[in-house]
């Protein structure tokens, strides 16, 4: 018998009732974003959500138009939900294990824009490439 | 031991770690440390700008498992990079220098970063017979600790040996081993216990120190609350079985195959505060209970002398909730196990049958 043959069965229940509260929190954060331009986020890792709760929440939020895949020390995905300004952000490590998950309520998620310092050093590199051409 | 100047993000970029990789790591670290996401963002910014920390690491009565845990992995993780390549000024197991040159490096790092360096200690300190049982370059562990701690900003006692005495302090404690906090009274001491400790806890303490200029909140045993705030049992995926009174009785019975609770096989999860059940081990692969073995309680004081790894705790963690089970468990642990020990051992010996956990006990 190999390890894979040993079943670990989990009798975890269905919906725990926590997920609707997350939806309300998202609505509150969206309101702050529209009124004051303030971004917010929810750390899903810290919430007692069952797999069923998580699925329910994903269903409720639906899919938007943008999906961004990043390869940064393991895969990360930033998915726009059906509600503009609400993003589902999931980080995996290099072994493909999920390490953290957030809902970000913002116009552009933190990881997407280039950092000014990086833009500057990129420009330096480009200029040196151009000067190498001549 | 490498790059000596610049911000942490500069050092990491030189090692090929992009800013986004660093930001992602910080987001996950902040989440593990239960920092609110908004604070997590400030944490990432402050950490990126922080100058490279100076860490002096002293190893006393220990097995080097803690160093292995924190600095080694198949692919270099950010944890190992922050420690091994960027922060460490002195670590006699890892550094190339030895003897007088190594001791000179320690003194130089102390002088250069006086009042600012973090002193990490793994291993307990032998006090019996003038401390002769463990010395480095002819200096007793006690004297080296007391000398090095003078210029430290804070001390991190890594591993259960440093935090609580650990294996060297187990009965009958032949070397008179004591914990770091028994000796260091005038500097803050953080206990990162575990045999070995979870690597990310160490990075979490260091990152908090760098980003906020302070140590994280600690529990009554001096452990970072964010990582030691809950028991293994609180977050164990086998918990539904515990609540239903479904316990594996041997390591190869039907209950074990079904993934039932390991309480009766000696699991110390109900009294052990640590994050193994959520952070896990080996880059998030699993933790001991997921591999079918109960928790040994390695992050708790005196876990070696807690009455046997395969002996069930005398009381379930929540006797009110599982009152009915408690009676059953009590019976098994008491008379039942004692009889089974003797009978099972001799039967197994005679018949070359598979030994049960009770056979392992005596
Ligand atoms: S006793 Fe151990 S195996 Fe059982 S639920 Fe608690 S931590 Fe998990």
């Amino acid at each position: 018998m190999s390890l894979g043959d040993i079943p670990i069965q989990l009798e975890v229940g269905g919906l725990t009732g926590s997920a609707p509260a997350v939806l309300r929190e998202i609505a509150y954060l969206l309101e702050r974003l529209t009124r004051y331009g303030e971004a917010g986020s929810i750390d899903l890792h810290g919430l007692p959500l069952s797999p069923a709760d998580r699925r329910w929440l994903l269903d409720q939020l639906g899919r938007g138009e943008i999906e961004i895949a990043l390869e940064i020390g393991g895969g990360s995905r930033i998915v726009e939900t059906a509600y503009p300004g609400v993003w589902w952000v999931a980080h995996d490590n290099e072994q493909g294990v999920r390490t953290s998950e957030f809902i970000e309520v913002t116009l552009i998620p933190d990881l997407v824009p280039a950092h000014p310092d990086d833009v500057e050093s990129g420009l330096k590199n480009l200029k040196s490439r151009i000067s190498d051409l001549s | 031991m490498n790059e000596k100047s610049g911000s942490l993000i500069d050092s990491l970029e030189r090692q090929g770690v992009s800013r986004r990789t660093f930001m992602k790591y910080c987001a996950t670290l902040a989440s593990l440390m239960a920092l609110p996401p908004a604070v997590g963002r400030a944490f990432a910014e402050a950490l990126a700008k922080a100058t490279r920390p100076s860490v002096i690491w002293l190893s006393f009565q220990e097995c080097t498992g803690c160093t292995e845990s924190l600095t080694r992995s198949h692919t270099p993780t950010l944890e190992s990079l922050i420690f091994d390549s960027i922060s460490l000024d002195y670590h006699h197991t890892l550094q190339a220098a030895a003897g007088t040159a190594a001791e000179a490096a320690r003194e130089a790092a102390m002088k250069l970063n006086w009042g600012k360096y973090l002193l990490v200690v793994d291993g307990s300190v032998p006090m019996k017979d003038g401390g002769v049982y463990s010395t480095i370059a002819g200096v007793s562990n006690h004297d080296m600790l007391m000398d090095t701690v003078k210029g430290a900003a804070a001390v991190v006692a890594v591993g259960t040996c440093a935090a609580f005495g650990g294996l060297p302090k187990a009965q009958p404690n032949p070397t008179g081993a004591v914990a770091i906090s028994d000796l260091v009274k005038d500097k803050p001491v953080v206990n990162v216990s575990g045999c070995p400790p979870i690597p990310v806890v160490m990075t979490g303490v260091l990152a908090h120190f760098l980003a906020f200029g302070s140590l994280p909140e600690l529990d009554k045993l001096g452990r970072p609350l964010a990582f030691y705030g809950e028991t293994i049992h609180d977050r164990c995926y086998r918990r539904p079985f515990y609540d239903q009174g479904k316990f594996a009785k041997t390591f190869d019975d039907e209950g074990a195959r079904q993934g039932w609770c390991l309480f009766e096989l000696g699991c110390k999860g109900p009294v052990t505060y640590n994050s193994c059940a959520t952070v896990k081990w080996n880059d998030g692969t699993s933790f001991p209970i997921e591999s079918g073995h109960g928790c040994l309680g390695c992050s708790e004081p005196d876990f070696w002398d807690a009455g046997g790894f395969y002996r069930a705790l005398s009381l379930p963690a929540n006797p009110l909730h599982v009152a009915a089970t408690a009676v059953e468990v009590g019976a098994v642990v008491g008379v039942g196990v004692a009889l089974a020990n003797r009978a099972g051992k001799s039967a197994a010996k005679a018949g070359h049958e598979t030994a049960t956990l009770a056979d392992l006990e005596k």
Side-chain angles (χ1 to χ4, degrees):
Chain A
M1 188 186 242
S2 77
L3 262 186
D5 299 327
I6 302 175
I8 299 290
Q9 291 161 3
L10 282 186
E11 295 182 11
V12 278
L15 294 168
T16 63
S18 310
V22 180
L23 270 192
R24 279 185 215 109
E25 170 87 8
I26 293 171
Y28 166 75
L29 292 176
L30 262 182
E31 235 172 276
R32 281 172 49 133
L33 182 66
T34 48
R35 271 205 213 152
Y36 313 112
E38 253 177 51
S41 74
I42 301 172
D43 180 358
L44 293 175
H45 183 88
L47 300 176
L49 295 176
S50 69
D53 289 334
R54 220 179 138 277
R55 271 195 305 276
W56 184 87
L57 198 57
L58 271 171
D59 276 357
Q60 298 295 316
L61 290 173
R63 293 289 278 248
E65 297 166 324
I66 302 175
E67 181 167 344
I68 302 168
L70 302 101
E71 203 37 64
I72 43 172
S76 289
R77 292 192 98 71
I78 301 175
V79 181
E80 190 191 34
T81 70
Y83 304 95
V86 180
W87 308 79
W88 191 291
V89 182
H91 298 309
D92 295 347
N93 66 15
E94 270 152 355
Q95 281 63 43
V97 177
R98 177 81 18 112
T99 51
S100 55
E101 212 162 11
F102 303 88
I103 285 174
E104 285 203 32
V105 180
T106 178
L107 298 180
I108 304 169
D110 270 356
L111 277 176
V112 180
H115 191 279
D117 290 356
D118 294 345
V119 175
E120 216 170 280
S121 65
L123 175 62
K124 222 184 274 164
N125 292 342
L126 183 61
K127 279 184 175 163
S128 94
R129 176 161 289 220
I130 292 169
S131 73
D132 283 351
L133 291 177
S134 49
Chain B
M1 290 176 213
N2 291 334
E3 305 295 343
K4 297 289 178 198
S5 59
S7 66
L8 192 58
I9 189 75
D10 288 341
S11 308
L12 285 170
E13 274 173 358
R14 277 195 292 270
Q15 313 260 346
V17 177
S18 77
R19 184 182 300 271
R20 286 195 180 98
T21 304
F22 177 72
M23 283 169 71
K24 166 175 167 170
Y25 179 74
C26 288
T28 302
L29 189 58
S31 165
L32 290 172
M33 293 169 76
L35 296 173
V39 179
R41 247 191 306 278
F43 170 73
E45 268 161 40
L47 198 56
K49 286 193 208 117
T51 47
R52 170 200 166 273
S54 172
V55 177
I56 295 180
W57 182 309
L58 300 177
S59 294
F60 296 150
Q61 284 196 130
E62 43 79 39
C63 71
T64 310
C66 295
T67 297
E68 290 290 335
S69 168
L70 299 179
T71 61
R72 299 284 165 249
S73 61
H74 290 299
T75 50
T77 58
L78 262 170
E79 266 114 54
S80 63
L81 273 180
I82 291 176
F83 267 99
D84 194 359
S85 322
I86 294 168
S87 312
L88 282 176
D89 279 320
Y90 172 90
H91 186 308
H92 68 225
T93 314
L94 297 178
Q95 68 195 31
T100 319
E103 293 319 300
R106 179 174 64 91
E107 276 152 28
M110 283 171 62
K111 213 184 266 171
L112 198 66
N113 302 290
W114 191 260
K116 288 186 292 208
Y117 59 84
L118 211 56
L119 176 60
V120 178
V121 185
D122 67 336
S124 62
V125 179
M127 298 298 285
K128 209 164 152 189
D129 302 327
V132 294
Y133 297 108
S134 178
T135 61
I136 297 163
V139 180
S140 74
N141 289 171
H142 170 270
D143 291 355
M144 187 172 282
L145 172 69
M146 297 327 260
D147 180 49
T148 316
V149 82
K150 281 185 212 141
V155 184
V156 185
V158 169
T160 300
C161 294
F164 306 129
L167 176 58
K169 184 171 171 270
Q171 294 296 346
N173 190 3
T175 64
V178 298
I180 301 310
S181 57
D182 291 330
L183 298 170
V184 176
K185 300 290 182 194
D186 56 348
K187 294 278 159 85
V189 178
V190 182
N191 286 329
V192 175
S193 63
C195 190
I198 300 177
V200 74
V201 181
M202 192 61 222
T203 331
V205 172
L206 182 65
H208 197 286
F209 180 69
L210 287 176
F212 303 125
S214 64
L215 294 169
E217 202 187 337
L218 306 177
D219 73 0
K220 62 180 191 312
L221 293 176
R223 301 175 295 194
L225 205 55
F227 296 100
Y228 298 87
E230 288 178 302
T231 65
I232 300 297
H233 185 68
D234 286 334
R235 301 300 292 264
C236 178
Y237 75 108
R238 296 192 189 221
R239 180 63 183 266
F241 295 122
Y242 176 92
D243 291 339
Q244 293 162 22
K246 289 181 176 165
F247 300 103
K249 310 278 181 193
T250 67
F251 284 107
D252 54 1
D253 70 0
E254 190 50 28
R257 284 192 187 89
Q258 299 292 332
W260 287 1
C261 171
L262 302 167
F263 180 85
E264 292 189 13
L265 294 171
C267 182
K268 305 293 184 287
V271 293
T272 304
Y273 289 83
N274 207 343
S275 311
C276 307
T278 44
V279 177
K280 303 198 177 174
W281 283 89
N282 299 323
D283 297 320
T285 306
S286 63
F287 71 115
I289 292 170
E290 244 175 303
S291 308
H293 197 286
C295 165
L296 302 182
C298 76
S299 55
E300 294 299 317
D302 301 323
F303 79 101
W304 290 98
D305 295 321
F309 292 152
Y310 301 101
R311 190 157 289 169
L313 290 166
S314 53
L315 267 184
N318 186 351
L320 287 181
H321 195 72
V322 284
T325 323
V327 179
E328 256 180 65
V329 171
V332 172
V333 175
V335 189
V337 167
L339 288 176
N341 269 350
R342 263 170 268 142
K345 200 174 177 181
S346 42
K349 232 188 240 162
H352 297 281
E353 290 162 10
T354 315
T356 67
L357 84 136
D359 303 325
L360 302 174
E361 277 290 306
K362 283 193 176 168

